[in-house]
Amino acid sequence: MDNNNQKQNQIQVELTDQVAQGTYANLAIISHSSSEFIFDFIRVVPGTQKAKVKSRIIMTPDNAKRLLFALQDNIQKFDDTAKKGGNNHHPFGELIPPIGGIPGEA
């Protein structure tokens, strides 16, 4: 593939200042239908009875699978770096179960 074709296939991604700030979430609830996956990102504050959804992302099943593979790749890189670096981070030794057994189907 030549340089012209590579340049045409690249997507320029814009990150606004507001989005770059990020939104903290310490709980994610995932549900799905036959045509989409819904990711609700929530911030749970200790001592409160309610938690609000801070962000909702809706994806096709194909894109949800791409996200899964990208997360697996990044977690593996994180674990490899933690093993080599001897820093305060520790590798994920085993799967961390969902909180409260929240069902994942819409």
Side-chain angles (χ1 to χ4, degrees):
M1 182 179 279
D2 64 5
N3 274 348
N4 287 339
N5 285 341
Q6 283 183 335
K7 288 180 182 178
Q8 289 176 348
N9 290 332
Q10 291 180 353
I11 297 173
Q12 292 186 1
V13 177
E14 182 179 332
L15 181 63
T16 65
D17 289 341
Q18 183 179 3
V19 173
Q21 296 290 320
T23 300
Y24 179 76
N26 53 7
L27 175 65
I29 297 176
I30 303 169
S31 55
H32 68 276
S33 68
S34 61
S35 61
E36 58 195 16
F37 276 74
I38 301 166
F39 302 86
D40 287 329
F41 295 95
I42 300 159
R43 182 182 313 148
V44 178
V45 179
T48 60
Q49 295 294 320
K50 288 187 176 182
K52 290 186 179 181
V53 173
K54 295 296 182 177
S55 182
R56 172 174 276 189
I57 305 296
I58 303 169
M59 295 181 145
T60 64
D62 286 344
N63 285 333
K65 288 177 186 178
R66 288 182 183 97
L67 175 62
L68 171 65
F69 294 137
L71 280 170
Q72 287 174 328
D73 181 54
N74 275 271
I75 289 170
Q76 184 62 54
K77 289 175 183 174
F78 171 84
D79 285 347
D80 292 346
T81 301
K83 288 175 189 173
K84 291 177 190 171
N87 57 24
N88 292 335
H89 298 293
H90 58 83
F92 299 115
E94 56 188 58
L95 291 177
I96 301 170
I99 296 172
I102 297 169
E105 196 166 323

